Amino acid sequence: MSFKSQVTGFQRNFWIANIMEMFERLAFFSVRAVLPLWMIATADKHGLGLTFTEKGLIFGVWAACQSLIPMLSGSFANYLGYRKSLYIAFTTNVFGYILMANATGFWSMMLAGIAVGTGTAIFKPPIQGTVASSVTEENSSVGYGIFYWVVNIGGLLAPVMASTLRGNDTDGYTWSYVFYAAAIVTALNYIPATFFFKEPDKLKATKSAKDALNDTWTALKDRDFMIFLLIFSGFWLMFMQLWDLYPNFIDQWTDSRDLAKILPAFMTDNGSVKAEQFININSLCIVLFVVPWSVVTGKFPRLVAITAGICLTTIAFFCAGITMAGVVTAICIAFFSLGEMTCSPKFSEYIGVNAPADKKALYMGLSNIPFAVGWIVGNVVSGPLYDAFANKLQITKQYLLDVKKVPLETLVKVVDDYKAANPDNLLPETIAKMNIDTFDFFPYFQELTGLDKYAANQLLWDAYAPWKIWIVLSSFGILSIAAMLLYNRHKNRINSK
């Protein structure tokens, strides 16, 4: 079947589902593009000033909601109907984004994360179920490639919108604008859901809540299915750390001044490329290449493509973490994206094709399990790991105390003097958040050493090797590669009988 024949053969619902997914991803990733930076940003940058451990805990609970709730919401999407499930999802997400815009600390941000995670969890199964019901064995590879491409159009536009709205060091930070914009974009999805979306015919026969729970339990007892999901969690761990942790690493350690000179001003901040624009390379590569690449990967067995994709992402993930060079960082993210578009669409395709015809939404909902495991474990591990070995705020303070032998009392005075002078005209509640553990001593460190920010960064990098955290995080990818090879051999033995 030709590519044109496959594309023209998709039903209208396939395209409506893609449109709604694109808007949802635009809202979601515009927030996710800046959220790691805002949560960690110090008070003088109007951030929440959380530790990486606190950030990791919030993302971990968010991950549990977003990824585990579909284990039930997939069944209830079949029970309630896809349209009603979508309405509930949109409303919950709008509430969560508005709450996020008004968050002031750990607990209010935690509640906002739970709301957005829950809304997204309810949204995914009906959309994924609609796509799965709209493709066939013959066009599934192209269908999932197109779906993944449209998803990343939203992902591509999101950091651009976020960079424009969140402000910068020169003009001031306006983080809340990003969250309000996400609420508005999400609300736009009521239009296609109400006027253009059609309930799939296979879902018109409803099931009781008890039957829905029984279906979920039956799927959870599918041993091969559950092993496959667990193995793939290593990929999602790396992917989510690219979004959750790597922006902070870029913001603190990457030297991108050469790239900043050739980019528009809204993509830069204080002479460097904004971290979210590096991450946006991921979406850009997928938008440009995933559809033709899906034709190429369609020629390979699904499990072979999945294994190769995880291998490439692991290598790129590790290499991205051991360099300060902005150009190398950009190249590594591009190769990570190539690995992602090799394995991630194939993962959804593998589940969608092998799921029972009347349980596609359920199985697609359960496909969030590896996302949950990877996201939760990644943040539980990476938060304390980063605080202990890579957080420049803590490393700078430690260098001043241990190497420069600056008395602790002197550092306390630096904080007190800043609060008294308030050179950035910060609000009283912002000033109140500042203490020796949350203050950014890097400008004082530069003044004391007489180094510019790039040389000062290099000094700290050489002294403390913050890159070593990526050895630990990349090891999860290596484990997934080994396990997927064994799983592939197991399936080949079964199929040969």
Side-chain angles (χ1 to χ4, degrees), residues 445-458:
F445 173 70
Q446 288 181 247
E447 180 183 341
L448 193 67
T449 59
L451 300 173
D452 65 23
K453 64 179 181 180
Y454 304 107
N457 243 14
Q458 188 68 57

Side-chain angles (χ1 to χ4, degrees), residues 27-39 46-48 50 58-59 62 66 92-120 174-183 186 375 433:
F28 182 83
F29 279 116
S30 65
V31 168
R32 296 293 283 107
V34 300
L35 200 56
L37 304 173
W38 175 63
M39 291 168 69
H46 300 281
L48 289 185
L50 303 180
I58 290 172
F59 278 144
W62 182 335
Q66 181 169 323
T92 306
N93 271 355
V94 168
F95 168 75
Y97 291 135
I98 292 174
L99 187 60
M100 199 173 289
N102 294 278
T104 57
F106 175 81
W107 289 109
S108 54
M109 182 57 223
M110 174 71 81
L111 183 58
I114 289 172
V116 173
T118 301
T120 305
T174 51
W175 305 97
S176 63
Y177 291 4
V178 179
F179 309 131
Y180 284 124
T186 299
W375 198 1
K433 294 180 181 179

Side-chain angles (χ1 to χ4, degrees), residues 246 254-255 259 278 281 316 318-335:
Y246 199 52
T254 299
D255 180 355
L259 292 174
F278 275 104
I281 295 171
F318 173 72
C319 292
I322 62 174
T323 181
M324 295 178 71
V327 173
V328 177
T329 296
I331 293 171
C332 288
I333 293 175
F335 275 100

Side-chain angles (χ1 to χ4, degrees), residues 26 111 140 161 172 181 251 271 284 348 429 481 497:
L26 174 59
L111 183 58
S140 62
M161 182 174 81
D251 192 53
L284 176 62
S348 297
E429 55 266 32
I481 294 167
K497 292 180 180 179

Side-chain angles (χ1 to χ4, degrees), residues 264-336:
F266 76 91
M267 292 185 176
T268 66
D269 186 12
N270 199 21
S272 299
V273 179
K274 289 180 178 178
E276 61 266 28
Q277 295 306 324
F278 275 104
I279 305 304
N280 204 24
I281 295 171
N282 175 251
S283 296
L284 176 62
C285 289
I286 292 171
V287 167
L288 293 177
F289 302 119
V290 72
V291 173
W293 191 244
S294 69
V295 176
V296 175
T297 58
K299 301 179 185 298
F300 295 91
R302 296 181 181 97
L303 290 178
V304 172
I306 290 171
T307 306
I310 297 175
C311 185
L312 184 54
T313 55
T314 302
I315 295 171
F317 183 74
F318 173 72
C319 292
I322 62 174
T323 181
M324 295 178 71
V327 173
V328 177
T329 296
I331 293 171
C332 288
I333 293 175
F335 275 100
F336 182 96

